Amino acid sequence: MGRIHVLSDAVANKIAAGEVVERPASVVKELLENSLDAGSTRIKLQVEAGGKKLIQIIDNGCGMVRDDALLAFERHATSKIKNAEDLLSVATLGFRGEALPSIASVSRLRLETKSPDEASGTVIEINGGKIYKVEEAGLPSGTSITIRDLFFNTPARKKFLKSESTELSHIASLVTHYALAHPDKHFELHSATNAMLVAPPVANQSERVYQVFGRETLEQLIPMAAMQPLERVGLPQPPPWRRQEQEEEAPPVEPGELRVHGFISKPEIQKLNRNSIYVFVNGRLIRDRLVQHALTEAYRNIIPPTVYPVVLMFLELPSGEVDVNVHPSKTEVRFRQQTVVHDFVRDSVRAALMKTRPVPQFTTEIRAHPTASPSLTPGSQPSSMGNSVGEVVGFSLQAPTLPSINERFQFGVQGIAVEANAAVSLARAPQGEFVSGDACTPPAAEEPEAPSDLAPSLSSLKPLGQIRESFILAVNHEGLWIIDQHVAHERVLFERVLKQRVAQKVESQRLLMPLVLELTPAQLAVFAEISDELNHNGFEAEPFGTRSIAVKVAPAGVEATQVEHMLHELLDQFSREEQELNLEKIRTRIAASIACHAAIKVNMPLEQNKMEWLIGELAKTECPMSCPHGRPVVLRYSLKEIQRAFKRI
C-alpha cells in the first residue's frame, strides 16, 4: 500500500492557517484588507485580550449575498481574480481566497453581511472549520466578522503567542499605519476599556499624521513627493500570435508613472534597527529589501552607517509593474524594473534631504540618541480624553512632558504620548509660571524665528574663537553656532575629492619610500576588487610578494604615517560588508576615508582667517550639516532658545 495520501480539507486549512495566520495581528491584517477591497469608508475594530479572545471588524462596504457568503469560506474562492493572467496585474490587497477559510479553521467565527441590493442579510457561524449555523437576518449594509478564541483547537500555536500587551501593540501598529495610508477613510480601534484610535477622514497624509501622532511628531518629519514616467525596459514580449491578438483587441497601454510621497526623518532622528521604516506599495504595507537598501543609500554620509531613519513612504505604480504573489502573507513584492524603482526612491529621498538641509539644534543633539523602539507604532496607555486616541504606548519621538499653553494641540500631547528620543525644541512654559520681565529690564519681544528646517547661509557667520582648539564659536542674526572643525573640514574635503574623481583630476603625492603593507587573505581579496578605484582616487599600489602590497603614491593631504592605517581600515570595512559592493559605495567610502585622514584635527589652533575660510568653504558644500560618517558638523543655539533660557519669552 502506498504511503502518500491526499490531506483532508480540515488539515489543509490548518496548514494554510500556519502560513497566513501567524498571530492576532495577521487576522486583523487579512480582515482589514478585505474591508478596504470592499470599498468601505468606515472601519471599526474591537479587540480583547490582545486579539486572543475577540477580534471584531465592522465595515460599511459592499457586503455579500447569501451564496457568496457561503462560497467565501471555500479554499481559493475569491472575487478578486479569475484567471492566471490576472495575477500579473493585481489591483486589490487580497486575491488568493485563503484568508477566511484559514481563519475559520482555527477560531470560532461569526459572519454578518448584507448587500445593499438585498432585503435581508446573512448570518454564518463556523467553529473550527465546521459550519454550525446559516440564517437570514435584518442587518445594515456592510459586513461584520467576529473572531473568538483564536487557536482554540491548536493549543501548540496558542502557546507561542506573546503577552496581551505585545499582541495588542502589533494590532495597533497595523491599524495605525493603514489609517495613515488611507486618510480619506474613517478608522476606529477599541480595546476592552479604551478607544485606542479614532481617526475621521482628512484631506491628506500630512493631516493624518498630525491627527494620529500630534504636532511634535509631524514637525520632526520632512515631506517628500516625486514622480517619474515609467518605461517598459527589458520586458519580455508576448509570442507573435498573442501580439497580433492584442493589437487587434486594444491599442497599446501606456507604461504609466512611478510616484512616491510620504515623510522621512531629519538626520538627528536615528534608530538602531529598521523597525521604523514603513513602505506602502499601492496601499499595501510591505517589507522590501530593495526599497530599504535604496533608503540606506539615500542617507549614506548623512547619518552613521549603523543607524536607520524613520520613514513613512507610499509608492504608487501600475499594478502590472509589481508582483505581489511572492510571499504567503503578501508582505513582500517583486518589482519588474528593480533598478528603476531603487534609483528613483534613492534619488527622491536624497533630493528631499538636500533641499531642506535641516540644521541640528543645540538642545536637540544633547538629548538625541538612537533607540531600538519603532517611532510610529502605538501600543497601550490609558488616557483621560473621551473620544481621542487613548490607549497607546510611547512613540520614539517625545517632547518634554510640560503642559502646553495652546489648547488646540492638547490632544496631541495628552492623547498620544511621544517617547523621549529625539530632536525636539524646548517646550514653552505655561503662561503665569514666571514673572514677566524683571526690575530693570523689560521682557524681550518675541521675534519671528527663521524656519529651522532650512540651513541658512553659513557665509554670514562671524567666528569668535575656539573652544579647546577643537570647536569654532560663531554668531549671526539667528543665534550662536558651534562648529566641529575636524568634521567641517572633512565634509569640505569629501565633496572636493568626489568632484575631482569625476573630473579625473585627483591630487596625489609620491612617497619618499614605497610603503609595504602586509594584508590578510580577506584584505587581499578586497584589494583585488577595489584596486582600480584606489588608483583613480590618488593611490598607486601594486602587489609585492604573495600577501603584501607596495604603496608608492597617496592622495595629497594625507600624511605618510596615516596611509597604512587608512588602507587597513578601508580594506577591513569592505571585507565586513555583507551586501555586494557597487562602484558608488566604493567611491564614497574611499573619499570619506581620505577626507577623514586629511582633515584638520582637533586640538589644533586656527587663526581668524583660517576659521573664516573653513566656514566659507563649508557654506559651499551640498550637505554642510553632517559629515560623511553621519555626525553633525554644526549645532545652532537659536536666539529664541537663548531668550527662553533667560526667561525673556
Side-chain angles (χ1 to χ4, degrees):
M1 182 177 177
R3 292 182 295 174
I4 298 177
H5 55 275
V6 179
L7 296 175
S8 65
D9 289 342
V11 177
N13 281 334
K14 287 184 179 180
I15 293 174
E19 297 177 343
V20 178
V21 186
E22 180 184 358
R23 62 196 321 160
S26 306
V27 176
V28 173
K29 176 180 181 292
E30 298 294 341
L31 299 181
L32 191 60
E33 290 180 349
N34 281 344
S35 295
L36 292 170
D37 286 340
S40 306
T41 59
R42 187 180 183 92
I43 301 174
K44 180 179 179 180
L45 287 104
Q46 179 80 32
V47 294
E48 293 181 8
K52 300 176 186 179
K53 289 185 179 179
L54 172 70
I55 298 173
Q56 184 183 46
I57 181 167
I58 304 172
D59 65 56
N60 63 346
C62 62
M64 293 180 284
V65 298
R66 179 188 175 95
D67 292 342
D68 284 349
L70 288 169
L71 197 58
F73 292 98
E74 297 292 331
R75 290 195 68 198
H76 305 300
T78 180
S79 62
K80 315 293 176 60
I81 60 175
K82 293 183 179 180
N83 50 50
E85 291 183 357
D86 292 341
L87 287 173
L88 302 177
S89 57
V90 176
T92 55
L93 298 176
F95 57 90
R96 290 184 183 141
E98 287 184 320
L100 282 179
S102 299
I103 295 170
S105 68
V106 292
S107 66
R108 295 185 172 94
L109 182 147
R110 178 182 174 90
L111 169 70
E112 299 177 2
T113 184
K114 176 183 174 295
S115 173
D117 301 331
E118 298 293 317
S120 61
T122 303
V123 177
I124 299 176
E125 291 187 6
I126 301 176
N127 288 347
K130 297 179 180 179
I131 297 179
Y132 272 69
K133 181 191 294 183
V134 180
E135 62 183 12
E136 291 187 2
L139 300 170
S141 297
T143 300
S144 170
I145 298 181
T146 304
I147 309 294
R148 296 185 184 275
D149 302 328
L150 187 63
F151 299 132
F152 78 97
N153 56 352
T154 53
R157 294 293 306 278
K158 196 170 185 177
K159 284 196 307 183
F160 285 93
L161 295 179
K162 303 299 182 182
S163 64
E164 293 182 5
S165 60
T166 300
E167 298 298 342
L168 182 62
S169 69
H170 283 282
I171 294 173
S173 171
L174 181 76
V175 176
T176 301
H177 288 93
Y178 269 102
L180 292 169
H182 301 273
D184 57 330
K185 301 182 187 299
H186 181 103
F187 286 84
E188 291 186 26
L189 174 61
H190 300 265
S191 68
T193 56
N194 290 8
M196 297 182 67
L197 177 70
V198 178
V202 291
N204 51 48
Q205 265 98 10
S206 181
E207 293 185 19
R208 183 69 102 191
V209 171
Y210 171 83
Q211 180 188 62
V212 174
F213 298 117
R215 179 187 57 168
E216 296 291 349
T217 299
L218 182 60
E219 288 178 349
Q220 305 312 315
L221 300 176
I222 301 171
M224 59 163 294
M227 185 273 291
Q228 173 180 307
L230 273 175
E231 296 181 1
R232 295 185 179 274
V233 179
L235 292 182
Q237 294 292 327
W241 59 90
R242 291 296 307 276
R243 202 177 306 166
Q244 293 175 359
E245 292 177 3
Q246 291 180 356
E247 291 175 356
E248 294 174 0
E249 291 176 0
V253 181
E254 290 295 324
E257 297 173 340
L258 177 60
R259 295 177 179 271
V260 64
H261 59 93
F263 301 91
I264 55 177
S265 62
K266 298 177 181 178
E268 60 263 30
I269 301 173
Q270 300 167 3
K271 298 293 166 183
L272 293 176
N273 52 42
R274 295 185 176 92
N275 292 343
S276 299
I277 297 177
Y278 295 93
V279 179
F280 288 82
V281 174
N282 292 343
R284 183 191 307 277
L285 181 61
I286 62 144
R287 290 284 184 185
D288 186 76
R289 292 183 179 180
L290 181 82
V291 177
Q292 289 181 345
H293 183 266
L295 293 171
T296 302
E297 290 296 309
Y299 276 89
R300 185 175 297 280
N301 306 124
I302 295 179
I303 63 175
T306 55
V307 299
Y308 303 92
V310 175
V311 176
L312 182 64
M313 177 184 293
F314 304 92
L315 270 171
E316 297 174 2
L317 67 166
S319 56
E321 292 291 323
V322 57
D323 184 4
V324 299
N325 189 30
V326 296
H327 192 273
S329 58
K330 303 187 289 288
T331 56
E332 297 179 7
V333 297
R334 183 178 293 117
F335 298 100
R336 291 188 183 277
Q337 303 184 57
Q338 296 189 9
T339 304
V340 173
V341 174
H342 176 278
D343 294 349
F344 173 67
V345 171
R346 180 198 61 197
D347 297 342
S348 300
V349 173
R350 188 81 176 187
L353 288 170
M354 293 298 101
K355 183 178 179 181
T356 55
R357 298 203 301 181
V359 183
Q361 299 295 306
F362 183 75
T363 54
T364 285
E365 289 295 331
I366 291 176
R367 298 191 190 99
H369 60 279
T371 66
S373 58
S375 70
L376 298 175
T377 306
S380 57
Q381 145 183 335
S383 171
S384 59
M385 309 218 32
N387 194 32
S388 46
V389 183
E391 188 169 331
V392 183
V393 272
F395 296 81
S396 57
L397 306 176
Q398 166 153 321
T401 54
L402 295 176
S404 174
I405 63 169
N406 194 337
E407 295 300 325
R408 197 162 60 90
F409 297 127
Q410 186 177 359
F411 84 94
V413 175
Q414 196 171 354
I416 293 187
V418 187
E419 185 181 293
N421 161 52
V424 190
S425 58
L426 291 172
R428 185 187 302 176
Q431 290 178 346
E433 185 173 336
F434 299 107
V435 178
S436 176
D438 54 38
C440 58
T441 310
E446 184 172 348
E447 300 177 0
E449 187 180 4
S452 61
D453 288 344
L454 296 177
S457 174
L458 292 174
S459 58
S460 65
L461 288 176
K462 178 182 178 182
L464 302 178
Q466 290 176 281
I467 301 177
R468 291 208 171 186
E469 299 177 340
S470 301
F471 304 96
I472 300 173
L473 281 181
V475 293
N476 66 359
H477 65 282
E478 294 189 0
L480 176 67
W481 295 68
I482 303 176
I483 304 169
D484 187 328
Q485 64 189 37
H486 170 68
V487 294
H489 195 208
E490 190 177 339
R491 167 55 68 176
V492 172
L493 294 178
F494 173 72
E495 297 193 8
R496 180 183 298 173
V497 170
L498 288 179
K499 291 177 181 177
Q500 291 177 350
R501 169 65 183 87
V502 172
Q504 297 184 354
K505 295 181 180 179
V506 177
E507 298 176 358
S508 59
Q509 58 187 2
R510 183 167 293 276
L511 301 180
L512 186 61
M513 293 289 292
L515 181 64
V516 179
L517 275 66
E518 293 284 340
L519 303 182
T520 65
Q523 291 176 334
L524 202 61
V526 173
F527 174 76
E529 186 174 356
I530 69 171
S531 57
D532 288 343
E533 190 59 34
L534 286 173
N535 292 335
H536 286 111
N537 280 275
F539 286 96
E540 184 180 322
E542 58 186 22
F544 187 78
T546 56
R547 285 176 48 184
S548 303
I549 60 171
V551 182
K552 299 178 180 179
V553 178
V558 181
E559 297 179 4
T561 56
Q562 293 287 322
V563 173
E564 181 177 359
H565 177 263
M566 180 174 63
L567 283 174
H568 276 299
E569 186 181 73
L570 268 175
L571 296 173
D572 284 339
Q573 288 178 358
F574 285 126
S575 64
R576 291 193 299 265
E577 192 73 35
E578 295 180 358
Q579 296 179 341
E580 184 179 354
L581 297 177
N582 58 59
L583 182 60
E584 184 67 24
K585 183 182 294 184
I586 295 172
R587 187 173 297 175
T588 56
R589 192 76 61 83
I590 293 174
S593 184
I594 294 173
C596 182
H597 288 84
I600 296 170
K601 302 298 186 288
V602 296
N603 300 320
M604 180 180 290
L606 298 179
E607 298 177 358
Q608 183 74 13
N609 60 345
K610 290 186 177 180
M611 290 189 287
E612 293 175 354
W613 172 87
L614 180 58
I615 294 174
E617 291 298 310
L618 182 63
K620 299 175 185 177
T621 61
E622 295 181 357
C623 186
M625 299 307 156
S626 61
C627 79
H629 302 97
R631 296 188 297 270
V633 174
V634 300
L635 299 176
R636 184 183 65 182
Y637 199 17
S638 70
L639 180 61
K640 181 173 288 187
E641 289 172 324
I642 295 173
Q643 290 173 334
R644 281 176 180 159
F646 283 104
K647 307 298 184 289
R648 295 296 187 185
I649 59 173

